[in-house]
Amino acid sequence: MPNIETEFKWESNSPRAFAKVLSAVLQVPSVRLSAPRVLHICDTYLDTPERFFEQNKIAFRVRNTDGKWEATYKTRTEVTNGRAVRREESLPLPGIKNLAQALAFLADKKVWEHLPLTGLKSLFALRNKRTSYDILFNGVEAELSLDNFMICVCGRRVLMKEAELELKKGQPDTLDELARQITQASGLAYARVSKVKTALALLALWGDK
C-alpha cells in the first residue's frame, strides 16, 4: 500500500504566529500535547538533466536530519479546504555522511520505485530548524511542526516560517476538525504556497540570471 501524507499548513511569517498556533492548540478540548523536540534538517531537492521529476509533477529530495540521511519522493499535491494530500515514499540511506555520498549511493542504485537516480543535480536546499510536538486528539495521532527555514537557491537565501500539522495515525476527518479549531482560535490563514513551491518560484525567477 502506498504511504499517503495528509497535512495542513498555516501562513506563519506574521509576528507571533507560532505562539498563536500553540495557544490555539492548547485551547482545543481533549488535546494532549507532548514536550517539544528540536530537529535540524537540510533538504536538498534534485532533478535529472532531463527534468524527469519536474515533468512528472514529482518532488524528489535527499534529507539530512541531525546526521540521519534518507531520500524521499512526493507526488502532486491535492488540496481541499486546506487539507493537502499526496503520496510520499522514503528510502533510508545507511552509512551516508554527506550529500556527495548520498548522490553516489543513489547513482549506484540507478532506479528506485521506477524513478531514475543517475545524474541527479541539486536545484535548491531548505535548511530548517524544526520544533515538533506530538498531538493526541480524539483517537488521532498528529505532529505539529513549527519550521524556521532558509531557502538556499541560486546563491541567494530567503528566510521564512511555516506551521504544519501532519496526520500520523487515525481518521483524516478528525484531523480536519482539529485544524478547523486551530484556524479559528489562531486567526491564521492556511498557507497558499508551500516552502517547496516558493523555492521553485525563486528558482524560475533567478535561475537564468
Side-chain angles (χ1 to χ4, degrees):
M1 293 291 291
N3 292 313
I4 303 300
E5 182 184 52
T6 302
E7 65 184 17
F8 289 84
K9 296 176 184 287
W10 288 272
E11 299 282 1
S12 301
N13 289 311
S14 59
R16 301 191 71 253
F18 286 170
K20 291 177 182 178
V21 170
L22 282 173
S23 175
V25 170
L26 293 172
Q27 292 177 51
V28 177
S30 303
V31 156
R32 293 174 58 190
L33 188 69
S34 75
R37 59 184 178 276
V38 177
L39 303 173
H40 300 89
I41 302 169
C42 182
D43 290 330
T44 302
Y45 283 78
L46 306 159
D47 209 338
T48 67
E50 300 78 22
R51 294 296 179 94
F52 174 89
F53 296 111
E54 177 185 349
Q55 293 173 18
N56 289 278
K57 308 297 183 183
I58 293 171
F60 185 87
R61 75 181 184 215
V62 167
R63 168 170 286 188
N64 174 16
T65 305
D66 291 317
K68 179 182 177 181
W69 292 78
E70 65 181 1
T72 298
Y73 77 84
K74 299 185 181 187
T75 60
R76 183 173 182 175
T77 303
E78 301 292 336
V79 181
T80 304
N81 297 325
R83 184 210 284 180
V85 178
R86 65 184 70 84
R87 181 179 178 184
E88 176 182 340
E89 302 288 349
S90 292
L91 172 70
L93 304 179
I96 298 302
K97 302 297 184 183
N98 53 53
L99 180 60
Q101 290 182 5
L103 295 179
F105 180 99
L106 295 172
D108 286 343
K109 192 172 181 64
K110 295 185 175 61
V111 176
W112 169 55
E113 296 270 334
H114 306 292
L115 303 178
L117 300 179
T118 56
L120 296 175
K121 301 295 183 183
S122 174
L123 301 176
F124 57 86
L126 302 177
R127 299 185 179 276
N128 186 8
K129 182 179 179 181
R130 167 173 288 181
T131 303
S132 290
Y133 303 80
D134 294 327
I135 292 179
L136 297 178
F137 173 71
N138 293 345
V140 153
E141 297 177 14
E143 182 179 67
L144 175 67
S145 296
L146 306 178
D147 291 346
N148 277 290
F149 64 95
M150 176 189 298
I151 301 174
C152 304
V153 56
C154 300
R156 306 190 193 191
R157 298 178 178 182
V158 177
L159 298 177
M160 293 184 65
K161 294 182 179 181
E162 186 178 74
E164 174 184 296
L165 180 70
E166 181 178 350
L167 180 66
K168 293 300 183 180
K169 184 178 180 180
Q171 295 299 316
D173 288 350
T174 305
L175 188 77
D176 292 353
E177 175 58 22
L178 176 58
R180 185 193 67 78
Q181 294 194 47
I182 293 172
T183 301
Q184 183 177 30
S186 69
L188 299 174
Y190 291 128
R192 295 184 178 182
V193 181
S194 69
K195 57 174 75 75
V196 173
K197 286 189 175 181
T198 300
L200 287 171
L202 294 174
L203 179 65
L205 178 65
W206 296 335
D208 295 329
K209 297 182 179 180

